[in-house]
Coordinates of all heavy atoms in Angstrom, one line a residue:
M1 N 234.1 84.6 -95.4 CA 233.2 83.6 -94.9 C 232.8 83.9 -93.4 O 233.7 84.2 -92.6 CB 233.8 82.2 -95.0 CG 232.9 81.2 -94.3 SD 233.6 79.5 -94.4 CE 232.9 79.0 -96.0
I2 N 231.5 83.7 -93.1 CA 231.0 83.7 -91.7 C 230.6 82.3 -91.4 O 229.7 81.8 -92.1 CB 229.9 84.7 -91.6 CG1 230.1 86.1 -92.2 CG2 229.5 84.8 -90.1 CD1 228.9 86.9 -92.5
R3 N 231.2 81.8 -90.3 CA 230.7 80.5 -89.9 C 230.7 80.3 -88.4 O 231.5 80.8 -87.7 CB 231.9 79.4 -90.4 CG 231.6 78.0 -90.0 CD 232.6 77.0 -90.6 NE 232.3 76.7 -91.9 CZ 233.2 76.5 -92.8 NH1 234.5 76.2 -92.5 NH2 232.8 76.3 -94.1
N4 N 229.6 79.6 -88.0 CA 229.4 79.3 -86.6 C 229.4 80.4 -85.6 O 230.1 80.5 -84.7 CB 230.5 78.2 -86.1 CG 229.9 77.5 -84.9 OD1 228.8 77.1 -84.8 ND2 230.9 77.3 -84.0
S5 N 228.7 81.5 -86.1 CA 228.7 82.7 -85.3 C 227.2 83.1 -84.9 O 226.3 82.5 -85.6 CB 229.2 83.9 -86.2 OG 230.5 83.8 -86.4
I6 N 227.1 83.8 -83.8 CA 225.8 84.2 -83.3 C 225.7 85.7 -83.3 O 226.6 86.4 -82.8 CB 225.5 83.7 -81.9 CG1 225.4 82.0 -82.0 CG2 224.2 84.2 -81.4 CD1 225.4 81.4 -80.6
A7 N 224.6 86.3 -83.8 CA 224.3 87.7 -83.6 C 223.0 87.9 -82.9 O 222.0 87.5 -83.4 CB 224.2 88.4 -85.1
F8 N 223.0 88.4 -81.7 CA 221.7 88.6 -81.0 C 221.6 89.8 -80.2 O 222.7 90.4 -79.9 CB 221.5 87.3 -80.1 CG 222.4 87.3 -78.9 CD1 222.1 87.7 -77.6 CD2 223.7 86.8 -79.0 CE1 222.9 87.7 -76.5 CE2 224.6 86.7 -77.9 CZ 224.2 87.1 -76.7
D9 N 220.4 90.3 -80.0 CA 220.0 91.5 -79.3 C 220.7 92.8 -79.9 O 221.0 93.8 -79.2 CB 220.5 91.3 -77.8 CG 219.5 90.5 -77.1 OD1 218.4 90.3 -77.6 OD2 219.8 90.1 -76.0
N10 N 221.0 92.8 -81.2 CA 221.5 94.1 -81.8 C 220.3 95.0 -82.1 O 219.2 94.5 -82.4 CB 222.2 93.8 -83.1 CG 223.5 92.9 -82.8 OD1 224.4 93.5 -82.2 ND2 223.6 91.6 -83.3
A11 N 220.6 96.3 -82.0 CA 219.5 97.3 -82.3 C 219.0 97.2 -83.7 O 217.9 97.5 -83.9 CB 220.0 98.7 -81.9
V12 N 219.9 96.9 -84.6 CA 219.4 96.9 -86.0 C 219.5 95.4 -86.5 O 218.5 94.7 -86.2 CB 220.3 97.8 -86.8 CG1 219.9 97.8 -88.3 CG2 220.2 99.2 -86.3
G13 N 220.5 95.0 -87.2 CA 220.6 93.7 -87.9 C 221.5 92.7 -87.2 O 222.3 93.1 -86.4
G14 N 221.4 91.5 -87.7 CA 222.3 90.5 -87.3 C 223.5 90.4 -88.3 O 224.5 91.0 -88.1
F15 N 223.3 89.6 -89.5 CA 224.3 89.4 -90.4 C 223.9 90.3 -91.6 O 222.9 90.0 -92.2 CB 224.5 87.9 -90.7 CG 224.9 87.2 -89.5 CD1 223.9 86.5 -88.8 CD2 226.3 87.0 -89.2 CE1 224.3 85.8 -87.7 CE2 226.7 86.3 -88.1 CZ 225.7 85.7 -87.3
I16 N 224.8 91.1 -92.0 CA 224.5 92.1 -93.1 C 225.6 92.2 -94.1 O 226.8 92.3 -93.7 CB 224.2 93.5 -92.5 CG1 223.2 93.5 -91.4 CG2 223.8 94.6 -93.5 CD1 223.1 94.7 -90.5
D17 N 225.3 92.2 -95.4 CA 226.3 92.4 -96.4 C 226.8 93.8 -96.6 O 227.8 94.1 -97.1 CB 225.8 91.9 -97.8 CG 224.7 92.6 -98.4 OD1 224.4 93.7 -98.0 OD2 224.2 92.1 -99.4
N18 N 226.2 94.8 -95.9 CA 226.6 96.2 -95.7 C 226.7 96.8 -97.2 O 227.6 97.6 -97.4 CB 227.9 96.2 -95.0 CG 227.8 97.3 -93.9 OD1 226.7 97.8 -93.6 ND2 228.9 97.5 -93.3
G19 N 225.9 96.4 -98.2 CA 226.0 96.9 -99.4 C 227.1 96.3 -100.3 O 227.4 96.8 -101.4
N20 N 227.9 95.4 -99.9 CA 229.0 94.7 -100.6 C 228.4 93.9 -101.7 O 227.6 92.9 -101.5 CB 229.7 93.8 -99.6 CG 230.9 93.1 -100.3 OD1 230.9 93.1 -101.6 ND2 231.7 92.5 -99.5
P21 N 228.7 94.2 -103.0 CA 228.1 93.5 -104.1 C 228.9 92.2 -104.3 O 228.6 91.4 -105.3 CB 228.3 94.4 -105.2 CG 229.6 95.2 -104.9 CD 229.6 95.3 -103.4
G22 N 229.9 91.8 -103.6 CA 230.7 90.7 -103.8 C 230.0 89.3 -103.4 O 228.9 89.3 -103.0
R23 N 230.8 88.3 -103.5 CA 230.3 86.9 -103.2 C 230.7 86.6 -101.8 O 231.8 86.4 -101.5 CB 230.8 85.9 -104.1 CG 230.4 86.3 -105.6 CD 230.3 85.2 -106.7 NE 229.4 84.2 -106.4 CZ 228.0 84.2 -106.5 NH1 227.5 85.5 -106.7 NH2 227.3 83.2 -106.5
L24 N 229.7 86.5 -100.9 CA 229.9 86.1 -99.5 C 229.4 84.8 -99.2 O 228.5 84.3 -99.9 CB 229.3 87.1 -98.6 CG 229.7 88.6 -98.8 CD1 228.8 89.6 -98.0 CD2 231.1 88.9 -98.5
T25 N 230.0 84.1 -98.2 CA 229.4 82.8 -97.7 C 229.1 82.9 -96.2 O 229.8 83.3 -95.4 CB 230.4 81.7 -97.9 OG1 230.8 81.7 -99.3 CG2 229.9 80.4 -97.5
A26 N 227.9 82.5 -95.9 CA 227.4 82.4 -94.5 C 227.0 80.9 -94.3 O 226.0 80.5 -94.9 CB 226.4 83.4 -94.3
D27 N 227.6 80.3 -93.3 CA 227.5 78.9 -93.0 C 227.3 78.6 -91.5 O 228.1 78.9 -90.8 CB 228.7 78.1 -93.5 CG 228.5 76.6 -93.4 OD1 227.5 76.0 -93.7 OD2 229.5 75.9 -93.0
R28 N 226.0 78.1 -91.2 CA 225.8 77.7 -89.8 C 225.9 78.8 -88.8 O 226.5 78.7 -87.8 CB 226.6 76.5 -89.5 CG 226.2 75.2 -90.2 CD 226.8 74.0 -89.7 NE 226.4 73.8 -88.3 CZ 225.5 73.0 -87.8 NH1 224.9 72.2 -88.7 NH2 225.2 72.9 -86.6
N29 N 225.1 79.9 -89.1 CA 225.1 81.0 -88.1 C 223.8 81.2 -87.6 O 222.7 80.6 -88.1 CB 225.6 82.3 -88.9 CG 226.9 82.2 -89.5 OD1 227.9 82.1 -88.8 ND2 227.0 82.1 -90.8
T30 N 223.6 81.9 -86.4 CA 222.3 82.1 -85.8 C 222.1 83.6 -85.6 O 222.9 84.2 -85.0 CB 222.2 81.3 -84.5 OG1 222.3 80.0 -84.7 CG2 220.8 81.6 -83.8
A31 N 221.0 84.1 -86.1 CA 220.5 85.5 -85.8 C 219.3 85.5 -85.0 O 218.3 84.8 -85.4 CB 220.3 86.3 -87.1
W32 N 219.2 86.0 -83.8 CA 218.2 85.9 -82.9 C 218.0 87.3 -82.2 O 218.8 87.9 -81.7 CB 218.5 84.8 -81.8 CG 217.5 84.8 -80.7 CD1 216.2 84.4 -80.9 CD2 217.7 85.0 -79.4 NE1 215.5 84.4 -79.7 CE2 216.4 84.7 -78.7 CE3 218.8 85.4 -78.6 CZ2 216.3 84.8 -77.4 CZ3 218.5 85.6 -77.2 CH2 217.4 85.3 -76.6
R33 N 216.6 87.6 -82.1 CA 216.1 88.8 -81.5 C 216.9 90.1 -81.8 O 217.2 90.9 -81.0 CB 216.3 88.6 -79.9 CG 215.1 89.1 -79.1 CD 215.1 88.6 -77.7 NE 216.2 88.8 -77.0 CZ 216.5 88.4 -75.8 NH1 215.6 87.7 -75.1 NH2 217.6 88.6 -75.1
N34 N 217.2 90.3 -83.1 CA 217.7 91.6 -83.5 C 216.6 92.5 -83.9 O 215.6 92.1 -84.4 CB 218.7 91.3 -84.7 CG 219.9 90.5 -84.3 OD1 220.7 91.0 -83.5 ND2 219.9 89.2 -84.7
G35 N 216.8 93.8 -83.8 CA 215.8 94.8 -84.1 C 215.5 95.0 -85.5 O 214.6 95.6 -85.9
G36 N 216.5 94.6 -86.4 CA 216.2 94.7 -87.8 C 216.1 93.3 -88.4 O 215.5 92.4 -88.0
T37 N 216.9 93.1 -89.5 CA 216.9 91.8 -90.3 C 217.9 90.9 -89.8 O 219.1 91.3 -89.6 CB 217.0 92.1 -91.8 OG1 216.1 93.0 -92.2 CG2 216.9 90.8 -92.6
G38 N 217.5 89.6 -89.6 CA 218.5 88.6 -89.1 C 219.6 88.4 -90.1 O 220.7 88.4 -89.8
F39 N 219.2 88.2 -91.4 CA 220.2 87.9 -92.5 C 219.8 88.8 -93.6 O 218.8 88.6 -94.3 CB 220.2 86.5 -92.9 CG 220.9 85.5 -91.9 CD1 220.1 84.9 -90.9 CD2 222.2 85.1 -92.1 CE1 220.6 84.1 -90.0 CE2 222.7 84.3 -91.1 CZ 222.0 83.8 -90.1
D40 N 220.6 89.9 -93.8 CA 220.4 90.8 -94.9 C 221.5 90.7 -95.9 O 222.6 91.4 -95.8 CB 220.3 92.3 -94.3 CG 219.8 93.3 -95.2 OD1 219.9 92.9 -96.5 OD2 219.6 94.5 -94.8
F41 N 221.2 90.0 -96.9 CA 222.2 89.8 -98.0 C 221.5 90.3 -99.4 O 221.6 89.6 -100.3 CB 222.7 88.5 -98.1 CG 223.6 88.1 -96.9 CD1 223.1 87.7 -95.7 CD2 225.0 88.0 -97.1 CE1 223.9 87.4 -94.7 CE2 225.8 87.8 -96.0 CZ 225.3 87.4 -94.8
A42 N 220.9 91.5 -99.3 CA 220.2 92.0 -100.5 C 221.0 92.5 -101.6 O 220.6 92.6 -102.7 CB 219.2 93.1 -100.0
D43 N 222.2 92.9 -101.3 CA 223.1 93.5 -102.3 C 224.2 92.6 -102.9 O 224.8 93.0 -103.9 CB 223.7 94.8 -101.7 CG 222.7 95.8 -101.3 OD1 221.8 96.2 -102.2 OD2 222.8 96.3 -100.2
S44 N 224.4 91.5 -102.2 CA 225.5 90.7 -102.6 C 225.0 89.4 -103.3 O 223.8 89.1 -103.3 CB 226.3 90.2 -101.4 OG 225.5 89.5 -100.5
G45 N 226.0 88.7 -104.0 CA 225.6 87.5 -104.5 C 226.2 86.3 -103.6 O 227.2 85.8 -103.9
S46 N 225.5 86.1 -102.5 CA 226.0 85.2 -101.4 C 225.3 83.9 -101.4 O 224.3 83.7 -102.0 CB 225.7 86.0 -100.1 OG 226.5 87.2 -100.1
T47 N 226.0 83.0 -100.8 CA 225.6 81.7 -100.6 C 225.4 81.4 -99.0 O 226.3 81.7 -98.2 CB 226.6 80.6 -101.1 OG1 226.7 80.9 -102.5 CG2 225.9 79.2 -100.9
L48 N 224.1 81.2 -98.6 CA 223.8 80.9 -97.2 C 223.3 79.5 -97.0 O 222.5 79.1 -97.7 CB 222.7 81.8 -96.7 CG 223.1 83.4 -96.8 CD1 223.0 84.0 -98.2 CD2 222.4 84.2 -95.8
T49 N 224.0 78.8 -96.1 CA 223.7 77.4 -95.9 C 223.6 77.0 -94.3 O 224.5 77.4 -93.6 CB 224.7 76.5 -96.4 OG1 225.0 76.9 -97.8 CG2 224.4 75.0 -96.5
G50 N 222.5 76.4 -94.0 CA 222.4 75.9 -92.6 C 222.3 77.0 -91.5 O 222.6 76.8 -90.4
N51 N 221.8 78.2 -91.9 CA 221.6 79.3 -90.9 C 220.3 79.3 -90.3 O 219.3 78.8 -90.8 CB 221.8 80.6 -91.7 CG 223.2 80.7 -92.2 OD1 224.3 80.8 -91.6 ND2 223.4 80.7 -93.6
L52 N 220.2 79.9 -89.1 CA 219.0 80.0 -88.4 C 218.6 81.4 -88.0 O 219.5 82.1 -87.4 CB 219.1 79.1 -87.1 CG 218.0 79.2 -86.0 CD1 216.7 78.8 -86.7 CD2 218.3 78.3 -84.9
S53 N 217.4 81.8 -88.4 CA 217.0 83.2 -88.1 C 215.7 83.1 -87.4 O 214.7 82.5 -87.9 CB 216.8 83.9 -89.4 OG 216.5 85.3 -89.1
A54 N 215.6 83.7 -86.1 CA 214.4 83.6 -85.3 C 214.3 84.9 -84.5 O 215.2 85.3 -84.0 CB 214.4 82.3 -84.5
A55 N 213.0 85.3 -84.3 CA 212.6 86.4 -83.4 C 213.3 87.7 -83.7 O 213.5 88.5 -82.8 CB 213.0 86.0 -81.9
N56 N 213.6 87.9 -85.0 CA 214.2 89.2 -85.4 C 213.0 90.0 -86.0 O 211.8 89.4 -86.3 CB 215.2 89.0 -86.6 CG 216.3 88.1 -86.2 OD1 217.2 88.5 -85.4 ND2 216.4 86.9 -86.6
A57 N 213.2 91.3 -86.1 CA 212.0 92.1 -86.7 C 211.7 91.6 -88.1 O 210.5 91.4 -88.4 CB 212.4 93.6 -86.8
T58 N 212.7 91.3 -88.9 CA 212.5 90.6 -90.2 C 213.5 89.5 -90.2 O 214.7 89.6 -89.9 CB 212.9 91.6 -91.4 OG1 212.0 92.6 -91.3 CG2 212.7 90.9 -92.8
Q59 N 213.1 88.3 -90.6 CA 214.0 87.1 -90.6 C 215.2 87.2 -91.6 O 216.3 86.9 -91.4 CB 213.3 85.8 -90.7 CG 212.2 85.7 -89.6 CD 212.7 85.9 -88.2 OE1 213.7 85.6 -87.9 NE2 211.8 86.5 -87.5
V60 N 214.8 87.4 -92.9 CA 215.8 87.4 -94.0 C 215.4 88.3 -95.1 O 214.3 88.5 -95.4 CB 215.9 85.9 -94.5 CG1 214.6 85.4 -95.1 CG2 217.1 85.8 -95.5
S61 N 216.4 88.9 -95.7 CA 216.3 89.6 -96.9 C 217.5 89.3 -97.9 O 218.5 89.7 -97.7 CB 216.3 91.2 -96.6 OG 216.2 91.9 -97.8
L62 N 217.0 88.6 -98.9 CA 218.0 88.1 -99.9 C 217.8 88.8 -101.3 O 216.7 88.9 -101.6 CB 218.0 86.7 -100.0 CG 218.2 85.7 -98.8 CD1 218.2 84.3 -99.2 CD2 219.6 86.1 -98.2
G63 N 218.9 89.2 -101.9 CA 218.7 89.8 -103.3 C 218.6 88.6 -104.3 O 218.8 87.4 -103.9
S64 N 218.4 89.0 -105.5 CA 218.2 88.0 -106.6 C 219.5 87.1 -106.8 O 219.4 86.1 -107.4 CB 217.7 88.6 -107.8 OG 218.6 89.6 -108.2
S65 N 220.6 87.7 -106.5 CA 221.9 87.0 -106.7 C 222.4 86.1 -105.6 O 223.3 85.4 -105.7 CB 223.0 88.0 -107.0 OG 222.7 88.8 -108.1
S66 N 221.6 86.1 -104.4 CA 222.0 85.4 -103.3 C 221.2 84.0 -103.4 O 220.0 83.9 -103.9 CB 221.6 86.0 -102.0 OG 222.6 87.1 -101.7
S67 N 221.8 83.0 -102.9 CA 221.0 81.6 -102.9 C 221.4 80.9 -101.6 O 222.3 81.4 -100.8 CB 221.5 80.8 -104.0 OG 222.9 80.5 -104.0
G68 N 220.7 79.9 -101.3 CA 221.0 79.1 -100.1 C 220.1 77.9 -100.0 O 219.2 77.7 -100.7
S69 N 220.5 77.0 -99.0 CA 219.7 75.8 -98.8 C 219.9 75.4 -97.4 O 220.8 75.8 -96.8 CB 220.1 74.7 -99.7 OG 221.5 74.3 -99.5
G70 N 218.9 74.7 -96.8 CA 219.0 74.2 -95.4 C 218.9 75.2 -94.4 O 219.2 75.0 -93.2
N71 N 218.5 76.4 -94.7 CA 218.3 77.5 -93.7 C 216.9 77.4 -93.0 O 216.0 76.8 -93.6 CB 218.5 78.8 -94.4 CG 219.9 79.0 -95.1 OD1 220.8 79.1 -94.4 ND2 219.8 79.1 -96.4
S72 N 216.8 78.1 -92.0 CA 215.5 78.0 -91.2 C 214.4 78.5 -92.1 O 213.3 77.9 -92.1 CB 215.5 78.8 -89.9 OG 215.9 80.1 -90.1
W73 N 214.6 79.5 -93.0 CA 213.6 80.1 -93.8 C 213.3 79.2 -95.0 O 212.2 79.2 -95.6 CB 213.9 81.5 -94.3 CG 215.3 81.7 -95.0 CD1 215.5 81.6 -96.3 CD2 216.5 81.9 -94.4 NE1 216.7 81.7 -96.5 CE2 217.4 82.0 -95.3 CE3 216.8 82.1 -93.0 CZ2 218.8 82.3 -95.1 CZ3 218.2 82.4 -92.7 CH2 219.2 82.5 -93.7
N74 N 214.2 78.2 -95.3 CA 213.9 77.3 -96.4 C 213.1 76.1 -95.8 O 212.3 75.5 -96.5 CB 215.3 76.7 -97.0 CG 216.1 77.7 -97.6 OD1 217.3 77.9 -97.2 ND2 215.7 78.5 -98.5
L75 N 213.4 75.8 -94.6 CA 212.8 74.7 -93.9 C 211.4 75.0 -93.4 O 210.6 74.1 -93.3 CB 213.7 74.2 -92.7 CG 215.0 73.7 -93.0 CD1 215.9 73.4 -91.7 CD2 215.0 72.5 -93.9
G76 N 211.2 76.3 -93.1 CA 209.8 76.7 -92.6 C 209.6 76.3 -91.2 O 210.4 75.8 -90.5
G77 N 208.4 76.6 -90.7 CA 208.0 76.3 -89.3 C 208.3 77.4 -88.3 O 208.9 78.4 -88.8
S78 N 208.0 77.1 -87.1 CA 208.5 78.1 -86.1 C 209.7 77.5 -85.3 O 209.8 76.4 -85.3 CB 207.3 78.3 -85.1 OG 206.9 77.1 -84.5
W79 N 210.4 78.4 -84.7 CA 211.6 78.0 -84.0 C 211.6 78.4 -82.6 O 211.5 79.5 -82.3 CB 212.8 78.6 -84.8 CG 212.8 78.1 -86.3 CD1 212.3 78.6 -87.3 CD2 213.5 76.9 -86.6 NE1 212.5 77.8 -88.4 CE2 213.3 76.8 -88.0 CE3 214.3 75.9 -86.0 CZ2 213.8 75.7 -88.8 CZ3 214.9 74.9 -86.7 CH2 214.5 74.8 -88.1
T80 N 211.9 77.5 -81.7 CA 212.1 77.7 -80.3 C 213.4 77.0 -80.0 O 214.0 76.2 -80.8 CB 210.9 77.0 -79.5 OG1 211.0 75.6 -79.8 CG2 209.6 77.6 -79.8
F81 N 213.9 77.3 -78.8 CA 215.3 77.0 -78.4 C 215.3 76.2 -77.1 O 214.5 76.4 -76.2 CB 216.2 78.2 -78.4 CG 216.3 78.9 -79.6 CD1 215.5 80.1 -79.7 CD2 217.0 78.5 -80.7 CE1 215.6 80.7 -81.0 CE2 217.1 79.2 -81.8 CZ 216.4 80.3 -82.0
V82 N 216.3 75.3 -76.9 CA 216.6 74.6 -75.7 C 216.9 75.6 -74.7 O 216.4 75.5 -73.5 CB 217.7 73.6 -75.9 CG1 218.1 73.0 -74.6 CG2 217.4 72.6 -76.9
S83 N 217.7 76.6 -75.0 CA 218.1 77.7 -73.9 C 218.2 79.0 -74.7 O 218.8 79.1 -75.7 CB 219.3 77.3 -73.3 OG 219.9 78.4 -72.5
T84 N 217.6 80.1 -74.1 CA 217.9 81.4 -74.5 C 218.6 82.2 -73.4 O 218.6 83.4 -73.3 CB 216.5 82.1 -74.8 OG1 215.7 82.0 -73.6 CG2 215.8 81.4 -76.0
D85 N 219.3 81.4 -72.5 CA 220.1 82.1 -71.5 C 221.4 82.5 -72.0 O 222.3 81.7 -72.2 CB 220.2 81.1 -70.3 CG 221.1 81.8 -69.1 OD1 221.5 82.9 -69.2 OD2 221.3 81.0 -68.2
S86 N 221.7 83.9 -72.2 CA 222.9 84.3 -72.8 C 224.1 84.2 -71.8 O 225.2 84.7 -72.1 CB 222.7 85.6 -73.4 OG 222.3 86.6 -72.4
G87 N 223.8 83.8 -70.6 CA 224.9 83.8 -69.6 C 226.1 83.0 -70.0 O 227.2 83.3 -69.6
T88 N 225.9 82.0 -70.7 CA 226.9 81.2 -71.3 C 227.9 81.9 -72.1 O 229.1 81.9 -72.1 CB 226.4 79.9 -72.1 OG1 225.6 79.2 -71.2 CG2 227.6 79.1 -72.6
I89 N 227.3 82.8 -72.9 CA 228.0 83.6 -73.9 C 228.7 84.8 -73.1 O 229.8 85.1 -73.4 CB 227.2 84.2 -75.0 CG1 226.5 83.0 -75.7 CG2 227.9 85.1 -75.9 CD1 227.4 82.2 -76.4
T90 N 228.0 85.4 -72.2 CA 228.5 86.6 -71.6 C 229.3 86.3 -70.2 O 229.9 87.1 -69.7 CB 227.3 87.6 -71.2 OG1 226.4 86.9 -70.4 CG2 226.7 88.0 -72.5
G91 N 229.2 85.1 -69.7 CA 229.9 84.7 -68.6 C 231.3 84.4 -68.7 O 231.8 84.7 -69.8
P92 N 231.9 83.8 -67.7 CA 233.3 83.5 -67.7 C 233.8 82.6 -68.8 O 233.0 81.6 -69.1 CB 233.6 82.8 -66.3 CG 232.4 83.2 -65.4 CD 231.3 83.4 -66.4
R93 N 235.0 82.7 -69.3 CA 235.5 81.9 -70.3 C 236.1 80.6 -69.7 O 236.6 80.6 -68.5 CB 236.5 82.6 -71.2 CG 236.0 83.8 -71.9 CD 235.2 83.4 -73.1 NE 234.6 84.5 -73.8 CZ 234.7 84.7 -75.1 NH1 235.5 83.8 -75.9 NH2 234.2 85.7 -75.7
A94 N 236.4 79.6 -70.5 CA 237.1 78.4 -70.0 C 238.6 78.9 -69.8 O 238.9 79.8 -70.4 CB 236.9 77.3 -71.0
A95 N 239.4 78.0 -69.2 CA 240.8 78.3 -69.0 C 241.6 78.6 -70.3 O 242.5 79.4 -70.3 CB 241.5 77.1 -68.3
D96 N 241.2 78.0 -71.4 CA 241.8 78.2 -72.7 C 241.2 79.4 -73.5 O 241.7 79.7 -74.5 CB 241.8 77.0 -73.6 CG 240.3 76.6 -74.0 OD1 239.3 77.4 -73.6 OD2 240.2 75.6 -74.8
G97 N 240.3 80.1 -72.8 CA 239.8 81.3 -73.4 C 238.6 81.1 -74.2 O 237.9 82.0 -74.8
S98 N 238.1 79.9 -74.4 CA 237.0 79.5 -75.2 C 235.7 79.7 -74.4 O 235.6 79.7 -73.2 CB 237.0 78.1 -75.7 OG 237.0 77.2 -74.7
I99 N 234.5 79.8 -75.2 CA 233.3 79.9 -74.6 C 232.8 78.5 -74.2 O 233.0 77.6 -75.0 CB 232.2 80.5 -75.6 CG1 232.6 81.9 -75.8 CG2 230.8 80.4 -75.0 CD1 231.8 82.6 -77.0
P100 N 232.4 78.3 -72.9 CA 232.0 76.9 -72.6 C 230.8 76.4 -73.5 O 230.0 77.1 -73.9 CB 231.5 77.1 -71.2 CG 232.1 78.3 -70.7 CD 232.3 79.2 -71.8
S101 N 230.9 75.1 -73.7 CA 229.8 74.5 -74.6 C 228.4 74.6 -73.8 O 228.4 74.5 -72.6 CB 230.2 73.0 -74.9 OG 229.2 72.4 -75.7
S102 N 227.5 74.9 -74.7 CA 226.1 75.0 -74.1 C 225.0 74.7 -75.1 O 225.3 74.5 -76.3 CB 225.9 76.4 -73.6 OG 225.6 77.4 -74.6
A103 N 223.8 74.7 -74.7 CA 222.6 74.6 -75.6 C 222.0 75.9 -76.0 O 221.0 76.0 -76.5 CB 221.6 73.7 -74.9
F104 N 222.7 77.0 -75.7 CA 222.3 78.4 -76.1 C 221.9 78.5 -77.5 O 222.7 78.2 -78.4 CB 223.4 79.3 -75.7 CG 223.0 80.9 -76.0 CD1 221.9 81.4 -75.4 CD2 223.7 81.6 -76.9 CE1 221.5 82.7 -75.7 CE2 223.4 82.9 -77.1 CZ 222.3 83.5 -76.6
L105 N 220.7 78.8 -77.8 CA 220.1 79.0 -79.2 C 220.2 77.7 -80.1 O 220.1 77.8 -81.3 CB 220.8 80.2 -79.9 CG 220.5 81.5 -79.2 CD1 221.1 82.6 -80.0 CD2 219.1 81.8 -78.8
R106 N 220.2 76.5 -79.4 CA 220.0 75.3 -80.2 C 218.6 75.0 -80.4 O 217.7 75.1 -79.5 CB 220.6 74.1 -79.5 CG 222.2 74.2 -79.5 CD 222.9 72.9 -79.3 NE 224.3 73.1 -79.3 CZ 225.1 72.3 -78.8 NH1 224.7 71.1 -78.4 NH2 226.4 72.5 -78.7
P107 N 218.2 74.6 -81.6 CA 216.7 74.4 -81.9 C 216.2 73.3 -81.0 O 216.8 72.2 -80.8 CB 216.7 74.0 -83.3 CG 217.9 74.6 -83.9 CD 219.0 74.5 -82.8
S108 N 215.0 73.5 -80.4 CA 214.3 72.6 -79.5 C 214.0 71.3 -80.3 O 213.9 70.2 -79.7 CB 213.1 73.1 -78.9 OG 213.3 74.3 -78.1
N109 N 213.7 71.5 -81.6 CA 213.3 70.3 -82.4 C 214.4 69.4 -82.9 O 214.3 68.4 -83.6 CB 212.4 70.8 -83.6 CG 213.3 71.6 -84.7 OD1 214.5 71.8 -84.4 ND2 212.6 72.0 -85.6
G110 N 215.7 69.9 -82.5 CA 216.9 69.0 -82.9 C 217.3 69.3 -84.3 O 218.3 68.5 -84.7
A111 N 216.9 70.2 -85.0 CA 217.3 70.4 -86.4 C 218.7 70.9 -86.4 O 219.3 71.6 -85.5 CB 216.4 71.6 -87.0
D112 N 219.5 70.4 -87.4 CA 220.9 70.8 -87.5 C 221.1 72.0 -88.3 O 221.6 72.0 -89.5 CB 221.6 69.6 -88.2 CG 223.1 69.6 -88.2 OD1 223.6 70.3 -87.3 OD2 223.7 69.0 -89.0
V113 N 220.6 73.1 -87.7 CA 220.8 74.5 -88.4 C 221.4 75.4 -87.3 O 221.2 75.2 -86.0 CB 219.6 75.0 -88.9 CG1 219.1 74.3 -90.1 CG2 218.5 75.2 -87.9
G114 N 222.1 76.4 -87.7 CA 222.5 77.5 -86.8 C 223.9 77.1 -86.2 O 224.5 76.0 -86.4
A115 N 224.4 78.0 -85.4 CA 225.7 78.0 -84.7 C 225.7 76.9 -83.6 O 224.6 76.8 -82.9 CB 226.2 79.3 -84.2
R116 N 226.8 76.4 -83.3 CA 226.9 75.5 -82.1 C 228.0 76.1 -81.2 O 229.2 76.1 -81.6 CB 227.3 74.0 -82.5 CG 226.2 73.4 -83.3 CD 225.0 73.1 -82.4 NE 224.0 72.3 -83.0 CZ 222.8 72.9 -83.6 NH1 222.7 74.2 -83.7 NH2 221.9 72.2 -84.2
I117 N 227.7 76.4 -80.1 CA 228.6 77.0 -79.1 C 228.8 75.9 -78.1 O 227.9 75.3 -77.6 CB 228.1 78.3 -78.5 CG1 227.9 79.4 -79.5 CG2 229.1 78.8 -77.5 CD1 229.1 79.8 -80.3

């Protein structure tokens, strides 16, 4: 299971099944500004729920065995963000080692999709 993760600025893809024919689950993840496909689950029988894909070369590629609901590509429309400043992710960690809470890659329209950091 992949949950509450962000893949951004990768040369190729964001979240990829890597040819795995198994059953994978992706829940509330964000793929942004990747050079390839944001969510590539073309070979697996996966379930994708509440994910957000924006500004990738290709937003999503799902095979016939994959399904999902409540994802940005199911909801349609265009997607903008409250913040695209990755400094929160790449900057200093909190005393407990966690990433400080931020609005990084949260949808401007308030939709409840994608990762929450």
